[in-house]
Amino acid sequence: MLGDISGVSKIFLITGRTDMRKSFDGLMTIIRDTYQLDPYANAVYLFCGRDSRKIKALYFDKTGFVLMQKRLDGTGRFQWPRNASEARLLSRQEFRWLMEGLSIDQPKAIRAGGRKKDF
């Protein structure tokens, strides 16, 4: 189904600002040339413009590329990381937080632990 990203294995957030006039080919070039990632991978790539009101998502669904866009109404803004230019791998929870207008860096969220302790 068009727009269903439930089957993707990875979600990448492209930090910083992206020119939102870019479409399929321009965003694919950023993924491939700037971040050395494979635009044909089973992944969705998220981009945000200067004003943080719109995001674009690009992914390959095995038959072609799908480009989706979400714009917040009113004064709402996505809490998009601006401090570095990197492709940041998101968990499904971080993706949900982003779509709900929350920061993906939740200081009080419980994170998966490294080692289990015996009691």
Side-chain angles (χ1 to χ4, degrees):
M1 179 171 87
L2 186 65
D4 180 15
I5 64 167
S6 62
V8 300
S9 60
K10 295 181 180 178
I11 301 170
F12 287 100
L13 182 144
I14 307 300
T15 62
R17 292 175 174 86
T18 301
D19 182 351
M20 295 305 276
R21 296 173 293 181
K22 293 188 183 295
S23 190
F24 295 93
D25 295 334
L27 297 175
M28 287 171 57
T29 300
I30 292 171
I31 293 166
R32 185 189 63 229
D33 296 347
T34 304
Y35 299 102
Q36 289 75 46
L37 295 170
D38 180 10
Y40 292 91
N42 185 20
V44 64
Y45 302 91
L46 304 172
F47 302 87
C48 187
R50 182 176 38 133
D51 70 356
S52 301
R53 287 189 57 220
K54 293 181 275 194
I55 61 170
K56 284 188 177 181
L58 180 72
Y59 74 97
F60 186 73
D61 73 352
K62 299 192 182 19
T63 61
F65 282 92
V66 177
L67 181 62
M68 297 180 292
Q69 182 170 322
K70 180 174 181 173
R71 182 185 75 192
L72 295 176
D73 287 335
T75 60
R77 300 279 188 261
F78 289 104
Q79 295 192 36
W80 201 264
R82 301 284 188 195
N83 54 355
S85 289
E86 63 181 356
R88 181 173 173 176
L89 186 61
L90 295 182
S91 69
R92 294 277 176 178
Q93 180 62 54
E94 289 169 329
F95 176 71
R96 280 191 294 276
W97 286 333
L98 179 67
M99 293 296 107
E100 293 172 1
L102 302 171
S103 171
I104 58 174
D105 297 314
Q106 295 291 322
K108 299 203 181 220
I110 298 173
R111 305 266 186 228
R115 266 185 1 157
K116 291 187 177 186
K117 297 180 181 179
D118 293 329
F119 290 98

